[in-house]
Amino acid sequence: MSAPAIDSLLLRCKPAAHATATALAQTALALLRQDLADLRLLRVAQQPQGIAYLYFALGSPQPLSADQTVQAERRLQNAGIAGLAACELSRLQLVMHCTGPALGEATPVHYAVEMDPEAGWQDELFAWYDQEHLPGLASVAGTAQAFRYLNLDHGPLSLACYDLVDAEVMGCPAWLAVRGTDWSARVRPHFTNTRRTMFDTQALP
């Protein structure tokens, strides 16, 4: 079977206390570019003093196998750099990208929702995400961009993420209305292995 075409990579790691996530992302980028020359840093998101999600984008989709990803992950883990020893590297396939009213504004908040669909519910959950939920949340004032990816390696499978001008966007009536539809109520109980994480974003170099 041929390797799937990959748009992006996600590196999950925990920077050492004395290091910034952005500096660690730059180090990881230099290592990853040994095999992926057109890779660029897309986003640095970190919980305060906690886990960081580092997103990298390829210049154009290209085949990347699970074995190649494992080799790149091991290179990072074995580089002798604090923060990378236990990192996880995953291939991401972009399913949907929506821009919102706040595009171009500063977005210090990054919100990620990860889940595996319950058996038998993947088609409807993905239809709900792509037809109603992601476009709906992207249209809320204060949302700059929304993405949905498939995580082909460490999972969970579905990763939806949102760049926001502040955390209060998630409590506004428009956001809650999108979350409160009948379709949402029907499919949300069929999320499994769910992770909902609020991050601070860091300025790119």
Side-chain angles (χ1 to χ4, degrees), residues 5-6 11 14 21 27 32 54 59 103 107 112 134 136 143 147 151 177 185 189:
I6 300 304
L11 182 64
K14 187 173 182 180
T27 300
L32 291 169
L54 312 178
L103 184 66
T107 51
L134 200 83
T143 303
F147 302 81
N151 184 324

Side-chain angles (χ1 to χ4, degrees), residues 98-102 132-144 146 162 174-175 178:
C98 300
T99 57
E132 177 182 279
H133 196 65
L134 200 83
L137 293 181
S139 71
V140 174
T143 303
Y162 311 88
W175 184 281
V178 174

Side-chain angles (χ1 to χ4, degrees), residues 185-197:
R186 185 168 72 250
V187 300
R188 192 174 285 111
H190 303 284
F191 283 25
T192 68
N193 302 319
T194 308
R195 301 176 184 174
R196 294 183 173 90
T197 315

Side-chain angles (χ1 to χ4, degrees), residues 96-102 126-148 160-164 169-170 172-181 183-184 188:
M96 177 173 280
H97 172 215
C98 300
T99 57
F126 286 1
W128 163 77
Y129 249 127
D130 298 342
Q131 296 172 28
E132 177 182 279
H133 196 65
L134 200 83
L137 293 181
S139 71
V140 174
T143 303
Q145 299 187 83
F147 302 81
R148 192 169 79 82
C161 53
Y162 311 88
D163 292 331
L164 309 173
V169 174
M170 296 173 56
C172 75
W175 184 281
L176 296 177
V178 174
R179 294 193 76 253
T181 67
W183 200 359
S184 298
R188 192 174 285 111

